[in-house]
Amino acid sequence: MTGPGARPAPAARPDPPVAADGARARLARYAGLAGAVLLAVAGYLGGALPAAPLGTTPVSIWQGRHGPLILGAWLLGTGLLVGAWWSLRRDAPSTGWVYRTAGLWALPLLITAPLGSRDVYSYACQGWAYAHGIDPYANGVAEAGCPWLDTVPSIWQDTPAPYGPLFVLLAALAVLLGGGLTGTVVLLRLVAVGGVLLAALCLPGLARAAGVPTRRAAWLLLACPLVGVHLVAGAHNDAVMIGLLLLGLLVLVRFPGRPRGLVVAGVLLGLAVAVKASAVVVLPFAALAAVLGRYTVRALLRDGGWLAGGVLAALLATSLVSGLGLGWVGGLTHSGDSEQWTSPPTAAGFVVDYAGALLGRKPDAVPVARLVALLLLVAVLAVLWWRAWATLRRLNDARQRVARLAAARPRVTLLGSGLALAATVVLAPVFHPWYATWPLALLAVAATRTTWFVLPCAIASCLTLPDGTNLARFTKAPGAIAMTALLVTLLTLTVTRRLRAPHTPTPAP
């Protein structure tokens, strides 16, 4: 896509020589397929079905009908899928092979029961409430009188919707067209699959712009077990947010400095925020991607202004069309009602509470730890943005700056966006496994090192059972202690490294 005043995108960097031999690639493909089939079987026998009992435990599942088969299929299937994904994280054979393999893995998960979470039933009830004239931002689904209330976990029955107005509209449309709970869930899954397909379409352009092999970027995102289990089978709205986010960033990469392109990109990014507010942390980095030519404050305000106009237009339009105004902002305050050690600040708060209990005190440290983490998140986001800005500014005075800026802009801004989402996931008050797909989508197309974010995604893939049971609920104390110990270790190693090599620049991830 070109036009007057637009710089051509940098030439695609050819993929490095294929390191994966055919036998190993075939083994990974069919091991992953076997894993996906086993997960689908586990979902059919004991997934998050409407009639499945709430509040189950691994023991109650084991003792129930088909219990050993359900848990066995789930554990073996997860192991096969994670292992196959991990084995080719650096050297998948080709981009086309990756798309075919990821599609093959997704097929069994597309036709099984919802897996790993019961959130899709919350979506359905929130859509039902809106479709029947009830404000889902002012009323929980229990108060709204949703006929499918018994499918929603008790912790979410009395909380307002924490999602943006665009997704509420989509959920209500699914209710109206679905004609019942089953039809609604099917349509919500199709909406999520649409988000994944949109992301798949955007991956090659973003990866080429950032100088990352397209086959590696596609493999890391599309073949990730979190995508198949939680975005496809689980029908999480994160898929829609990610698809809109990547499309908006692709438009920015193709049309920097073009007012019309910037407004379109802003609208797409605004729609992503109107699905889940987490996408807002990407906007400051998107403003950097909007600048064409030299990086100056004036250029940032000029081009960023067009982008901001598109974002605001999308948010205002969806708020007005829904008739709900800005009530969705208040719903965000309830997203942290769940307390699990998988959130690092929550885990640290638990450990302080445990220590206080040993001393006969009740410090109630979780809210404090969460507040400190949110303040730290603001500081981290500011530092990440400043470093990206400073990097691009330094290229202003470099020789052949036009070519270097054109080549550096996509990678710097996409990497900054991915790191911002990673910081948001780590420092947020609550963590669910599918949250890891937010940074994964952007780091896959921008990061040169991958293990540091691929490994947490692999671990996160093992944190739930097919019916939505969260294993973190049953490992609260040991999990909190282990997470806090990990945090302390990482902080110690980071500080030690800085002290030993204070003048050595930190390499890009």
Side-chain angles (χ1 to χ4, degrees):
M1 298 180 188
T2 58
R7 299 290 179 191
R13 179 181 297 181
D15 287 355
V18 177
D21 59 82
R24 185 158 66 91
R26 285 193 297 273
L27 178 61
R29 168 182 275 180
Y30 293 110
L33 176 60
V37 170
L38 286 171
L39 294 182
V41 170
Y44 176 77
L45 296 176
L49 294 161
L54 302 179
T56 57
T57 68
V59 173
S60 65
I61 295 174
W62 177 268
Q63 294 175 342
R65 187 182 181 190
H66 306 304
L69 179 58
I70 293 169
L71 292 179
W74 182 259
L75 294 175
L76 180 57
T78 300
L80 288 171
L81 202 57
V82 170
W85 179 59
W86 177 269
S87 69
L88 297 182
R89 67 192 184 281
R90 294 192 184 99
D91 53 6
S94 68
T95 303
W97 186 92
V98 168
Y99 277 83
R100 291 190 295 273
T101 300
L104 191 64
W105 292 4
L107 284 177
L109 301 174
L110 186 62
I111 59 176
T112 191
L115 294 177
S117 166
R118 303 187 70 87
D119 280 7
V120 68
Y121 302 118
S122 295
Y123 302 163
C125 276
Q126 290 157 6
W128 183 92
Y130 177 79
H132 287 79
I134 301 169
D135 185 351
Y137 299 134
N139 305 276
V141 294
E143 186 178 357
C146 176
W148 312 313
L149 183 64
D150 56 350
T151 65
V152 180
S154 58
I155 190 175
W156 305 124
Q157 290 185 2
D158 298 311
T159 57
Y163 311 114
L166 175 59
F167 186 72
V168 169
L169 290 171
L170 291 174
L173 183 62
V175 170
L176 293 175
L177 297 178
L181 180 59
T182 301
T184 299
V185 170
V186 168
L187 291 177
L188 287 171
R189 176 174 284 179
L190 292 178
V191 168
V193 170
V196 173
L197 292 176
L198 185 58
L201 290 173
C202 298
L203 281 173
L206 290 171
R208 286 193 293 266
V212 168
T214 56
R215 68 167 183 266
R216 196 201 71 180
W219 180 260
L220 290 180
L221 179 60
L222 300 180
C224 178
L226 292 173
V227 172
V229 172
H230 294 292
L231 300 193
V232 175
H236 281 283
N237 57 11
D238 306 72
V240 182
M241 181 194 77
I242 290 170
L244 291 170
L245 203 57
L246 294 188
L247 182 58
L249 291 171
L250 180 60
V251 173
L252 276 181
V253 167
R254 296 291 180 87
F255 295 103
R258 294 289 306 278
R260 185 178 298 177
L262 296 179
V263 171
V264 171
V267 168
L268 291 168
L269 294 175
L271 291 177
V273 176
V275 173
K276 295 197 81 164
S278 315
V280 75
V281 302
V282 172
L283 299 183
F285 299 91
L288 294 178
V291 176
L292 177 65
R294 292 175 60 85
Y295 276 81
T296 63
V297 174
R298 180 178 180 181
L300 181 63
L301 293 176
R302 180 195 64 220
D303 296 334
W306 288 109
L307 182 74
V311 172
L312 292 175
L315 292 176
L316 290 175
T318 52
S319 296
L320 291 174
V321 168
S322 67
L324 299 173
L326 298 178
W328 61 284
V329 177
L332 299 174
T333 59
H334 294 277
S335 58
D337 288 353
S338 174
E339 293 186 353
Q340 303 293 346
W341 63 262
T342 47
S343 160
T346 302
F350 283 161
V351 170
V352 173
D353 285 345
Y354 298 152
L358 293 175
L359 300 174
R361 298 180 180 274
K362 295 182 179 180
D364 193 22
V366 171
V368 176
R370 287 176 161 185
L371 177 60
V372 170
L374 290 177
L375 295 175
L376 179 60
L377 174 60
V378 173
V380 169
L381 294 176
V383 170
L384 289 173
W385 186 89
W386 181 257
R387 289 184 63 181
W389 167 257
T391 299
L392 294 170
R393 287 274 292 176
R394 280 196 299 271
L395 293 175
N396 279 344
D397 301 320
R399 293 181 179 180
Q400 300 177 341
R401 60 175 179 268
V402 173
R404 293 189 64 181
L405 273 172
R409 182 193 302 111
R411 182 172 182 272
V412 170
T413 54
L414 290 172
L415 181 59
S417 299
L419 293 174
L421 285 169
T424 302
V425 170
V426 170
L427 296 173
V430 64
F431 171 82
H432 297 295
W434 48 94
Y435 288 5
T437 60
W438 310 346
L440 175 64
L442 286 164
L443 294 173
V445 299
T448 54
R449 298 179 183 177
T450 60
T451 301
W452 67 275
F453 65 86
V454 171
L455 181 58
C457 289
I459 295 172
S461 301
C462 306
L463 292 178
T464 60
L465 294 178
D467 69 333
T469 298
N470 187 343
L471 295 177
R473 287 168 41 204
F474 310 103
T475 53
K476 188 173 181 179
I481 294 171
M483 177 65 78
T484 305
L486 177 62
L487 287 176
V488 172
T489 301
L490 292 176
L491 288 173
T492 302
L493 292 175
T494 301
V495 171
T496 302
R497 182 182 177 188
R498 293 282 185 178
L499 292 175
R500 289 180 177 176
H503 302 297
T504 302
T506 302

